[in-house]
Amino acid sequence: NKPEAPPASEAAEANADSRLAAIDDSLARMNYGEAARLAAEAQAQYPGDARLHAAAARAQARLGDAEASAAALQRAVAAGLPDVGALLADPAFDTVRDHQALAAYRPRRAGKAPAAPTSRIRAGDVEIIESADGDVIRAGDVVLDTRP
């Protein structure tokens, strides 16, 4: 009496799960090079698994490679990653989040009107305008604008 083997799709999913666990383990141990290598192998074997592409994006981000991270992120989205924003919020992306390669995945800011000035101070040719968005200081032809 041999035990019945699980269907091929279940076995493949279990193997993809074990690959993901190994990648996550390498990331937790801060062995980012190993995590990236494992992720590359897993992506090749399971190209339709968004979780593996997302793990590869995290590993590449930890290595500081924004372009490789963005490429893996693109594959994750193509494979059906449900929430890019949640992935990019991961601390793994802290060093690469603002890189141009990831610009397409950053949330778009709605064009909001600047906050109304909360105070305006003028003395001679110096003017200071304070608002919730930041301050603007003008002295003659020099302007210091701290708004985003």
Side-chain angles (χ1 to χ4, degrees):
N1 262 350
K2 284 187 178 179
E4 192 173 311
S9 63
E10 285 181 27
E13 184 176 315
N15 200 3
D17 288 343
S18 65
R19 293 281 191 126
L20 183 60
I23 296 164
D24 288 341
D25 181 59
S26 292
L27 286 168
R29 289 184 290 112
M30 296 183 200
N31 193 342
Y32 306 134
E34 178 181 290
R37 180 186 59 77
L38 291 172
E41 292 170 2
Q43 289 177 97
Q45 191 170 6
Y46 303 101
D49 194 320
R51 302 168 309 156
L52 295 171
H53 297 299
R58 278 195 307 278
Q60 293 297 339
R62 286 291 189 186
L63 289 171
D65 190 340
E67 287 86 5
S69 182
L73 187 59
Q74 183 177 12
R75 289 189 297 273
V77 169
L81 180 71
D83 190 354
V84 175
L87 179 62
L88 285 177
D90 187 306
F93 291 90
D94 286 352
T95 61
V96 298
R97 189 174 293 115
D98 293 331
H99 193 279
Q100 184 60 34
L102 294 166
Y105 301 104
R106 287 194 291 271
R108 305 269 191 269
R109 291 187 184 177
K112 66 174 189 173
T118 55
S119 72
R120 189 178 293 252
I121 303 166
R122 182 170 216 123
D125 68 345
V126 176
E127 179 181 29
I128 300 172
I129 303 169
E130 297 175 316
S131 72
D133 288 343
D135 303 329
V136 177
I137 302 168
R138 290 189 183 99
D141 61 349
V142 177
V143 177
L144 174 62
D145 189 345
T146 64
R147 296 174 298 187

